[in-house]
Amino acid sequence: MSLPASPIVAFIGGGNMATSLVGGLLASGFTPDQLRVAEPDAGKAQALRERFGIVVAASGAEIAAGASALVLAVKPQQMIAALAGLAPDAGALALSIAAGVRIDTLRSALPAGVHVVRSMPNTPSLYGAGITGLYAPAGTPEATRALADRILAAAGQTCWVEKESDLDAVTAVSGSGPAYFFLLTEAIREAGVALGLSPEVSAQLAARTLVGAAKMVDAGSTDVAELRAQVTSKGGTTFAALQSLEKAGLRPIFTEALRAAADRSRELGDEFAAASRPSIN
Ligand SMILES: NC(=O)C1=CN([C@@H]2O[C@H](COP(=O)(O)OP(=O)(O)OC[C@H]3O[C@@H](n4cnc5c(N)ncnc54)[C@H](OP(=O)(O)O)[C@@H]3O)[C@@H](O)[C@H]2O)C=CC1
Ligand SMILES: O=C(O)[C@@H]1CCC=N1
């Protein structure tokens, strides 16, 4: 199967993540007539029409047929209901961005012949600065993988993992990852206030330091450990702070925190799988 020259992409769900992907696809060369969204909330639907000039229907059943790809962009707990009644073309891609919902669960709610690919994007996708982990089962056509990659590359970088269970770790590292940096910035802001700075000044210093450090990492030429070493003068202030953080066990604290996130991702997968099975009685 080769990719159509102008694939039609239908989004099931028109919320935060779908909006960022639609914007990214249009910026990357897709035309409005190639994109469709199913969104039941009338206000969100109208906002999408006005902002992007695309077709927005109330339900996925109205837009699935004829699409090369369906992007499944509803909340995990809404997914099975959202897939009911869809009639995608045989050979179409069903690209899920939902946390925790496994491929077997998605397949159970979709017609046979649809190629399911799973991904875990993150909220910087809203600004084209995302990183998305993707997984496709063995036997997925190369053209299908290429279409999935092209869709998510519109919101930032992509990387492919070897096993579906790796997506639990991807969710822990990068799916939930922005929140770790936001929490760290909150803690630095509060520590600045404890040192006597006004909340406004401390907030500005902490936020701009986060942005500046991110830009240095984004420059891409130097490893983060080397960037840290460049700030750490011998016996200086940075060394004093880092020694305190290492002594407090910062690294094992993060190892434990990310394991908790990955465990929760796996639990969600189990819960959604159980919920999708027809009840015995
Ligand atoms: N936001 C994040 O940080 C990240 C989110 N994700 C994943 O992306 C997915 C979407 O997240 P996000 O965009 O934040 O969620 P949103 O709630 O912003 O968007 C989902 C949209 O789908 C709508 N919807 C609900 N049921 C249906 C249906 N049957 N058919 C069509 N649309 C429907 C919802 O409407 P209504 O509100 O009326 O229910 C809502 O507008 C989730 O599965 C999440 O796990 C992945 C990585 C990061
Ligand atoms: O917290 C969550 O479950 C979702 C998935 C990754 C980011 N937010």
Short mmCIF file of all heavy atoms in Angstrom, two decimals, residues 123-189:
data_model
loop_
_atom_site.label_atom_id
_atom_site.label_comp_id
_atom_site.label_asym_id
_atom_site.label_seq_id
_atom_site.Cartn_x
_atom_site.Cartn_y
_atom_site.Cartn_z
N THR A 123 2.18 17.84 25.99
CA THR A 123 1.52 19.13 25.77
C THR A 123 2.37 20.16 25.04
O THR A 123 1.80 21.04 24.39
CB THR A 123 1.04 19.74 27.11
OG1 THR A 123 2.09 19.61 28.06
CG2 THR A 123 -0.21 19.07 27.61
N PRO A 124 3.69 20.12 25.05
CA PRO A 124 4.44 21.06 24.19
C PRO A 124 4.07 20.90 22.71
O PRO A 124 4.37 21.77 21.89
CB PRO A 124 5.90 20.74 24.47
CG PRO A 124 5.88 20.24 25.88
CD PRO A 124 4.63 19.42 25.97
N SER A 125 3.37 19.79 22.38
CA SER A 125 2.84 19.65 21.01
C SER A 125 1.96 20.84 20.65
O SER A 125 1.83 21.20 19.49
CB SER A 125 2.00 18.37 20.89
OG SER A 125 2.78 17.25 21.18
N LEU A 126 1.36 21.44 21.71
CA LEU A 126 0.46 22.58 21.46
C LEU A 126 1.23 23.72 20.80
O LEU A 126 0.65 24.58 20.15
CB LEU A 126 -0.16 23.08 22.78
CG LEU A 126 -0.93 22.06 23.63
CD1 LEU A 126 -1.49 22.73 24.89
CD2 LEU A 126 -2.09 21.47 22.83
N TYR A 127 2.56 23.69 20.93
CA TYR A 127 3.38 24.77 20.36
C TYR A 127 4.40 24.22 19.37
O TYR A 127 5.45 24.82 19.12
CB TYR A 127 4.10 25.53 21.49
CG TYR A 127 3.12 26.17 22.44
CD1 TYR A 127 2.75 25.52 23.63
CD2 TYR A 127 2.49 27.38 22.13
CE1 TYR A 127 1.81 26.07 24.47
CE2 TYR A 127 1.56 27.92 22.98
CZ TYR A 127 1.22 27.27 24.15
OH TYR A 127 0.28 27.81 24.99
N GLY A 128 4.12 23.01 18.83
CA GLY A 128 5.04 22.43 17.85
C GLY A 128 6.36 22.01 18.46
O GLY A 128 7.33 21.76 17.75
N ALA A 129 6.39 21.90 19.78
CA ALA A 129 7.64 21.55 20.48
C ALA A 129 7.50 20.22 21.22
O ALA A 129 8.18 19.97 22.22
CB ALA A 129 8.01 22.66 21.46
N GLY A 130 6.60 19.37 20.70
CA GLY A 130 6.33 18.11 21.39
C GLY A 130 7.37 17.04 21.09
O GLY A 130 8.21 17.20 20.20
N ILE A 131 7.31 15.97 21.84
CA ILE A 131 8.03 14.74 21.53
C ILE A 131 7.02 13.62 21.70
O ILE A 131 6.29 13.56 22.70
CB ILE A 131 9.27 14.52 22.41
CG1 ILE A 131 9.93 13.15 22.14
CG2 ILE A 131 8.96 14.68 23.87
CD1 ILE A 131 10.48 12.98 20.74
N THR A 132 6.89 12.78 20.69
CA THR A 132 5.90 11.72 20.70
C THR A 132 6.56 10.37 20.50
O THR A 132 7.35 10.19 19.58
CB THR A 132 4.86 11.92 19.57
OG1 THR A 132 4.18 13.17 19.76
CG2 THR A 132 3.84 10.80 19.55
N GLY A 133 6.26 9.44 21.39
CA GLY A 133 6.70 8.05 21.22
C GLY A 133 5.61 7.30 20.47
O GLY A 133 4.42 7.49 20.74
N LEU A 134 6.00 6.46 19.52
CA LEU A 134 5.03 5.69 18.73
C LEU A 134 5.38 4.21 18.76
O LEU A 134 6.55 3.82 18.87
CB LEU A 134 5.05 6.14 17.27
CG LEU A 134 4.54 7.54 16.92
CD1 LEU A 134 5.70 8.44 16.56
CD2 LEU A 134 3.55 7.48 15.79
N TYR A 135 4.34 3.38 18.63
CA TYR A 135 4.53 1.94 18.51
C TYR A 135 3.55 1.39 17.48
O TYR A 135 2.35 1.73 17.52
CB TYR A 135 4.31 1.21 19.85
CG TYR A 135 4.27 -0.29 19.65
CD1 TYR A 135 5.43 -1.01 19.44
CD2 TYR A 135 3.04 -0.97 19.59
CE1 TYR A 135 5.39 -2.39 19.20
CE2 TYR A 135 2.99 -2.34 19.35
CZ TYR A 135 4.17 -3.04 19.14
OH TYR A 135 4.12 -4.39 18.88
N ALA A 136 4.06 0.56 16.56
CA ALA A 136 3.19 -0.12 15.58
C ALA A 136 3.44 -1.61 15.67
O ALA A 136 4.59 -2.05 15.74
CB ALA A 136 3.51 0.37 14.17
N PRO A 137 2.40 -2.43 15.66
CA PRO A 137 2.57 -3.88 15.73
C PRO A 137 3.29 -4.41 14.50
O PRO A 137 3.28 -3.77 13.44
CB PRO A 137 1.13 -4.42 15.78
CG PRO A 137 0.26 -3.26 16.07
CD PRO A 137 0.98 -2.04 15.61
N ALA A 138 3.93 -5.56 14.66
CA ALA A 138 4.58 -6.21 13.50
C ALA A 138 3.55 -6.40 12.40
O ALA A 138 2.37 -6.66 12.68
CB ALA A 138 5.14 -7.56 13.95
N GLY A 139 3.98 -6.20 11.17
CA GLY A 139 3.06 -6.37 10.04
C GLY A 139 2.36 -5.09 9.63
O GLY A 139 1.65 -5.04 8.62
N THR A 140 2.58 -4.01 10.39
CA THR A 140 2.00 -2.72 9.97
C THR A 140 2.71 -2.26 8.71
O THR A 140 3.95 -2.17 8.69
CB THR A 140 2.20 -1.67 11.09
OG1 THR A 140 1.58 -2.14 12.29
CG2 THR A 140 1.58 -0.33 10.68
N PRO A 141 1.97 -1.94 7.63
CA PRO A 141 2.63 -1.52 6.38
C PRO A 141 3.50 -0.29 6.61
O PRO A 141 3.17 0.59 7.42
CB PRO A 141 1.46 -1.19 5.45
CG PRO A 141 0.30 -1.97 6.00
CD PRO A 141 0.50 -2.00 7.48
N GLU A 142 4.60 -0.23 5.88
CA GLU A 142 5.53 0.89 6.01
C GLU A 142 4.84 2.21 5.71
O GLU A 142 5.07 3.23 6.37
CB GLU A 142 6.72 0.69 5.09
CG GLU A 142 7.91 1.59 5.41
CD GLU A 142 8.28 1.59 6.90
OE1 GLU A 142 8.33 0.51 7.52
OE2 GLU A 142 8.48 2.71 7.44
N ALA A 143 3.95 2.22 4.72
CA ALA A 143 3.25 3.47 4.36
C ALA A 143 2.36 3.94 5.51
O ALA A 143 2.21 5.14 5.75
CB ALA A 143 2.42 3.25 3.11
N THR A 144 1.81 2.97 6.27
CA THR A 144 0.96 3.31 7.41
C THR A 144 1.80 3.94 8.52
O THR A 144 1.44 4.95 9.12
CB THR A 144 0.25 2.05 7.93
OG1 THR A 144 -0.53 1.50 6.88
CG2 THR A 144 -0.63 2.37 9.13
N ARG A 145 2.99 3.33 8.78
CA ARG A 145 3.91 3.89 9.78
C ARG A 145 4.33 5.29 9.35
O ARG A 145 4.39 6.22 10.16
CB ARG A 145 5.14 3.00 9.94
CG ARG A 145 4.90 1.67 10.62
CD ARG A 145 6.14 0.77 10.50
NE ARG A 145 7.26 1.35 11.22
CZ ARG A 145 7.67 0.93 12.43
NH1 ARG A 145 7.00 -0.05 13.03
NH2 ARG A 145 8.69 1.48 13.04
N ALA A 146 4.60 5.46 8.05
CA ALA A 146 5.06 6.77 7.56
C ALA A 146 3.98 7.84 7.74
O ALA A 146 4.26 8.98 8.12
CB ALA A 146 5.45 6.66 6.09
N LEU A 147 2.72 7.45 7.53
CA LEU A 147 1.63 8.42 7.71
C LEU A 147 1.48 8.79 9.18
O LEU A 147 1.33 9.97 9.53
CB LEU A 147 0.32 7.83 7.18
CG LEU A 147 -0.93 8.73 7.28
CD1 LEU A 147 -0.71 10.10 6.65
CD2 LEU A 147 -2.14 8.01 6.66
N ALA A 148 1.58 7.80 10.08
CA ALA A 148 1.50 8.08 11.52
C ALA A 148 2.61 9.04 11.93
O ALA A 148 2.39 10.02 12.66
CB ALA A 148 1.59 6.78 12.31
N ASP A 149 3.82 8.77 11.43
CA ASP A 149 4.96 9.62 11.78
C ASP A 149 4.76 11.04 11.25
O ASP A 149 5.01 12.03 11.95
CB ASP A 149 6.24 9.01 11.20
CG ASP A 149 7.50 9.55 11.88
OD1 ASP A 149 7.96 10.64 11.47
OD2 ASP A 149 7.97 8.94 12.83
N ARG A 150 4.24 11.14 10.00
CA ARG A 150 4.04 12.47 9.39
C ARG A 150 3.01 13.28 10.19
O ARG A 150 3.19 14.49 10.41
CB ARG A 150 3.56 12.29 7.95
CG ARG A 150 3.37 13.61 7.21
CD ARG A 150 3.01 13.39 5.75
NE ARG A 150 2.63 14.65 5.12
CZ ARG A 150 1.98 14.71 3.96
NH1 ARG A 150 1.65 13.60 3.31
NH2 ARG A 150 1.65 15.88 3.44
N ILE A 151 1.97 12.64 10.65
CA ILE A 151 0.93 13.35 11.43
C ILE A 151 1.51 13.88 12.73
O ILE A 151 1.35 15.05 13.08
CB ILE A 151 -0.27 12.42 11.70
CG1 ILE A 151 -1.03 12.14 10.39
CG2 ILE A 151 -1.21 13.01 12.74
CD1 ILE A 151 -2.03 11.00 10.48
N LEU A 152 2.25 13.05 13.47
CA LEU A 152 2.75 13.48 14.78
C LEU A 152 4.00 14.33 14.68
O LEU A 152 4.30 15.11 15.57
CB LEU A 152 2.94 12.26 15.68
CG LEU A 152 1.58 11.73 16.16
CD1 LEU A 152 1.68 10.33 16.67
CD2 LEU A 152 0.95 12.67 17.17
N ALA A 153 4.72 14.22 13.55
CA ALA A 153 5.88 15.10 13.35
C ALA A 153 5.43 16.55 13.14
O ALA A 153 6.20 17.49 13.28
CB ALA A 153 6.70 14.62 12.16
N ALA A 154 4.12 16.73 12.85
CA ALA A 154 3.59 18.08 12.69
C ALA A 154 3.53 18.82 14.03
O ALA A 154 3.35 20.03 14.09
CB ALA A 154 2.19 18.02 12.09
N ALA A 155 3.72 18.07 15.14
CA ALA A 155 3.65 18.72 16.46
C ALA A 155 4.99 18.68 17.18
O ALA A 155 5.09 18.97 18.37
CB ALA A 155 2.60 18.02 17.32
N GLY A 156 6.05 18.26 16.47
CA GLY A 156 7.37 18.21 17.10
C GLY A 156 8.12 16.98 16.65
O GLY A 156 7.93 16.48 15.54
N GLN A 157 8.99 16.45 17.54
CA GLN A 157 9.80 15.29 17.17
C GLN A 157 9.05 13.99 17.48
O GLN A 157 8.09 13.98 18.27
CB GLN A 157 11.14 15.31 17.94
CG GLN A 157 12.04 16.47 17.55
CD GLN A 157 13.41 16.37 18.19
OE1 GLN A 157 13.79 15.34 18.76
NE2 GLN A 157 14.19 17.45 18.09
N THR A 158 9.50 12.91 16.81
CA THR A 158 8.91 11.59 17.06
C THR A 158 10.02 10.59 17.32
O THR A 158 11.17 10.80 16.90
CB THR A 158 8.11 11.11 15.83
OG1 THR A 158 9.00 11.06 14.70
CG2 THR A 158 6.93 12.03 15.53
N CYS A 159 9.68 9.52 18.03
CA CYS A 159 10.61 8.40 18.17
C CYS A 159 9.77 7.12 18.28
O CYS A 159 8.63 7.15 18.77
CB CYS A 159 11.51 8.56 19.39
SG CYS A 159 10.66 8.57 20.96
N TRP A 160 10.29 6.02 17.74
CA TRP A 160 9.56 4.75 17.71
C TRP A 160 10.14 3.80 18.75
O TRP A 160 11.35 3.76 18.94
CB TRP A 160 9.64 4.12 16.32
CG TRP A 160 8.83 4.86 15.30
CD1 TRP A 160 9.21 5.98 14.60
CD2 TRP A 160 7.50 4.56 14.88
NE1 TRP A 160 8.17 6.40 13.79
CE2 TRP A 160 7.13 5.54 13.92
CE3 TRP A 160 6.59 3.56 15.20
CZ2 TRP A 160 5.88 5.54 13.30
CZ3 TRP A 160 5.35 3.55 14.57
CH2 TRP A 160 5.00 4.53 13.64
N VAL A 161 9.26 3.07 19.44
CA VAL A 161 9.71 2.10 20.43
C VAL A 161 9.42 0.69 19.92
O VAL A 161 8.58 0.49 19.02
CB VAL A 161 9.04 2.33 21.80
CG1 VAL A 161 9.52 3.66 22.40
CG2 VAL A 161 7.53 2.29 21.72
N GLU A 162 10.16 -0.29 20.51
CA GLU A 162 10.11 -1.67 19.99
C GLU A 162 8.91 -2.47 20.52
O GLU A 162 8.43 -3.37 19.88
CB GLU A 162 11.41 -2.41 20.39
CG GLU A 162 12.66 -1.83 19.73
CD GLU A 162 12.57 -1.89 18.20
OE1 GLU A 162 12.17 -2.95 17.68
OE2 GLU A 162 12.83 -0.85 17.56
N LYS A 163 8.50 -2.15 21.76
CA LYS A 163 7.42 -2.95 22.37
C LYS A 163 6.29 -2.00 22.80
O LYS A 163 6.54 -0.86 23.23
CB LYS A 163 7.92 -3.68 23.63
CG LYS A 163 9.18 -4.50 23.47
CD LYS A 163 9.50 -5.35 24.71
CE LYS A 163 9.75 -4.49 25.94
NZ LYS A 163 10.92 -3.61 25.84
N GLU A 164 5.04 -2.48 22.76
CA GLU A 164 3.93 -1.63 23.19
C GLU A 164 4.09 -1.24 24.66
O GLU A 164 3.80 -0.11 25.05
CB GLU A 164 2.59 -2.34 22.98
CG GLU A 164 1.41 -1.45 23.36
CD GLU A 164 0.05 -2.03 23.02
OE1 GLU A 164 -0.03 -3.20 22.59
OE2 GLU A 164 -0.95 -1.28 23.18
N SER A 165 4.64 -2.16 25.47
CA SER A 165 4.79 -1.85 26.90
C SER A 165 5.79 -0.72 27.13
O SER A 165 5.76 -0.07 28.19
CB SER A 165 5.24 -3.11 27.66
OG SER A 165 6.47 -3.58 27.11
N ASP A 166 6.68 -0.45 26.14
CA ASP A 166 7.59 0.70 26.28
C ASP A 166 6.81 2.01 26.39
O ASP A 166 7.34 3.02 26.90
CB ASP A 166 8.55 0.78 25.08
CG ASP A 166 9.60 -0.31 25.08
OD1 ASP A 166 9.81 -0.92 26.16
OD2 ASP A 166 10.19 -0.56 24.01
N LEU A 167 5.57 2.04 25.89
CA LEU A 167 4.81 3.30 25.93
C LEU A 167 4.46 3.69 27.37
O LEU A 167 4.22 4.87 27.65
CB LEU A 167 3.54 3.19 25.07
CG LEU A 167 3.77 3.20 23.55
CD1 LEU A 167 2.45 3.02 22.81
CD2 LEU A 167 4.47 4.49 23.08
N ASP A 168 4.47 2.71 28.29
CA ASP A 168 4.28 3.07 29.71
C ASP A 168 5.46 3.92 30.19
O ASP A 168 5.28 4.92 30.90
CB ASP A 168 4.16 1.80 30.57
CG ASP A 168 2.90 0.99 30.25
OD1 ASP A 168 1.87 1.60 29.93
OD2 ASP A 168 2.98 -0.26 30.28
N ALA A 169 6.66 3.55 29.77
CA ALA A 169 7.86 4.33 30.14
C ALA A 169 7.86 5.67 29.41
O ALA A 169 8.22 6.71 29.97
CB ALA A 169 9.12 3.53 29.83
N VAL A 170 7.45 5.66 28.13
CA VAL A 170 7.37 6.93 27.37
C VAL A 170 6.41 7.89 28.07
O VAL A 170 6.69 9.08 28.23
CB VAL A 170 6.91 6.66 25.93
CG1 VAL A 170 6.61 7.98 25.21
CG2 VAL A 170 7.97 5.88 25.14
N THR A 171 5.27 7.35 28.53
CA THR A 171 4.29 8.20 29.23
C THR A 171 4.91 8.79 30.49
O THR A 171 4.76 9.98 30.77
CB THR A 171 3.05 7.36 29.60
OG1 THR A 171 2.49 6.81 28.40
CG2 THR A 171 1.99 8.23 30.29
N ALA A 172 5.70 7.94 31.21
CA ALA A 172 6.33 8.41 32.45
C ALA A 172 7.38 9.48 32.18
O ALA A 172 7.48 10.47 32.91
CB ALA A 172 6.95 7.22 33.18
N VAL A 173 8.18 9.29 31.11
CA VAL A 173 9.29 10.22 30.85
C VAL A 173 8.80 11.50 30.20
O VAL A 173 9.02 12.61 30.69
CB VAL A 173 10.35 9.56 29.96
CG1 VAL A 173 11.40 10.59 29.50
CG2 VAL A 173 11.03 8.41 30.70
N SER A 174 8.08 11.37 29.07
CA SER A 174 7.76 12.58 28.28
C SER A 174 6.28 12.94 28.25
O SER A 174 5.93 14.12 28.12
CB SER A 174 8.24 12.38 26.84
OG SER A 174 7.70 11.19 26.29
N GLY A 175 5.41 11.93 28.39
CA GLY A 175 3.97 12.26 28.40
C GLY A 175 3.62 13.09 29.62
O GLY A 175 3.03 14.16 29.51
N SER A 176 4.07 12.61 30.78
CA SER A 176 3.85 13.34 32.04
C SER A 176 5.00 14.31 32.32
O SER A 176 4.88 15.19 33.18
CB SER A 176 3.73 12.36 33.20
OG SER A 176 2.62 11.50 33.01
N GLY A 177 6.09 14.16 31.59
CA GLY A 177 7.34 14.89 31.86
C GLY A 177 7.23 16.39 32.01
O GLY A 177 7.84 16.96 32.94
N PRO A 178 6.45 17.09 31.18
CA PRO A 178 6.37 18.56 31.37
C PRO A 178 5.98 18.94 32.79
O PRO A 178 6.50 19.91 33.34
CB PRO A 178 5.31 18.98 30.35
CG PRO A 178 5.39 17.94 29.26
CD PRO A 178 5.69 16.66 29.98
N ALA A 179 5.13 18.12 33.43
CA ALA A 179 4.67 18.46 34.79
C ALA A 179 5.81 18.43 35.79
O ALA A 179 5.81 19.19 36.78
CB ALA A 179 3.56 17.50 35.23
N TYR A 180 6.82 17.57 35.56
CA TYR A 180 7.95 17.50 36.50
C TYR A 180 8.73 18.83 36.47
O TYR A 180 9.15 19.35 37.49
CB TYR A 180 8.91 16.37 36.15
CG TYR A 180 8.29 15.02 35.86
CD1 TYR A 180 8.89 14.14 34.98
CD2 TYR A 180 7.08 14.65 36.44
CE1 TYR A 180 8.32 12.91 34.69
CE2 TYR A 180 6.51 13.42 36.18
CZ TYR A 180 7.13 12.56 35.28
OH TYR A 180 6.57 11.32 35.00
N PHE A 181 8.90 19.36 35.24
CA PHE A 181 9.66 20.62 35.12
C PHE A 181 8.85 21.79 35.68
O PHE A 181 9.40 22.73 36.26
CB PHE A 181 10.03 20.85 33.65
CG PHE A 181 11.03 19.85 33.11
CD1 PHE A 181 10.63 18.74 32.40
CD2 PHE A 181 12.39 20.00 33.39
CE1 PHE A 181 11.53 17.81 31.94
CE2 PHE A 181 13.32 19.06 32.93
CZ PHE A 181 12.88 17.96 32.21
N PHE A 182 7.50 21.72 35.53
CA PHE A 182 6.68 22.78 36.11
C PHE A 182 6.75 22.72 37.64
O PHE A 182 6.87 23.75 38.31
CB PHE A 182 5.22 22.66 35.63
CG PHE A 182 5.07 22.74 34.12
CD1 PHE A 182 4.13 21.96 33.46
CD2 PHE A 182 5.89 23.56 33.36
CE1 PHE A 182 4.00 22.02 32.07
CE2 PHE A 182 5.77 23.64 31.98
CZ PHE A 182 4.83 22.85 31.34
N LEU A 183 6.73 21.51 38.22
CA LEU A 183 6.82 21.37 39.68
C LEU A 183 8.17 21.88 40.18
O LEU A 183 8.27 22.60 41.18
CB LEU A 183 6.62 19.91 40.08
CG LEU A 183 6.79 19.59 41.58
CD1 LEU A 183 5.74 20.34 42.40
CD2 LEU A 183 6.71 18.08 41.82
N LEU A 184 9.24 21.53 39.45
CA LEU A 184 10.59 21.97 39.83
C LEU A 184 10.66 23.50 39.84
O LEU A 184 11.20 24.13 40.76
CB LEU A 184 11.61 21.39 38.84
CG LEU A 184 13.09 21.62 39.10
CD1 LEU A 184 13.50 20.97 40.42
CD2 LEU A 184 13.93 21.05 37.96
N THR A 185 10.04 24.12 38.83
CA THR A 185 10.04 25.59 38.74
C THR A 185 9.24 26.20 39.88
O THR A 185 9.63 27.22 40.47
CB THR A 185 9.49 26.03 37.37
OG1 THR A 185 10.22 25.34 36.35
CG2 THR A 185 9.64 27.53 37.16
N GLU A 186 8.13 25.56 40.25
CA GLU A 186 7.36 26.03 41.42
C GLU A 186 8.24 25.97 42.67
O GLU A 186 8.27 26.91 43.47
CB GLU A 186 6.15 25.11 41.65
CG GLU A 186 5.00 25.26 40.69
CD GLU A 186 3.93 24.20 41.00
OE1 GLU A 186 3.38 24.26 42.13
OE2 GLU A 186 3.68 23.33 40.15
N ALA A 187 8.98 24.86 42.84
CA ALA A 187 9.80 24.69 44.05
C ALA A 187 10.91 25.74 44.10
O ALA A 187 11.20 26.31 45.16
CB ALA A 187 10.40 23.27 44.06
N ILE A 188 11.52 26.03 42.95
CA ILE A 188 12.58 27.04 42.89
C ILE A 188 12.00 28.42 43.20
O ILE A 188 12.58 29.21 43.96
CB ILE A 188 13.26 27.00 41.51
CG1 ILE A 188 14.05 25.70 41.33
CG2 ILE A 188 14.17 28.22 41.31
CD1 ILE A 188 14.56 25.45 39.92
N ARG A 189 10.79 28.67 42.66
CA ARG A 189 10.12 29.96 42.91
C ARG A 189 9.86 30.12 44.40
O ARG A 189 10.16 31.17 44.99
CB ARG A 189 8.80 29.98 42.13
CG ARG A 189 7.99 31.24 42.27
CD ARG A 189 6.74 31.16 41.41
NE ARG A 189 5.79 30.15 41.89
CZ ARG A 189 4.74 29.70 41.18
NH1 ARG A 189 4.57 30.14 39.93
NH2 ARG A 189 3.92 28.82 41.68
#
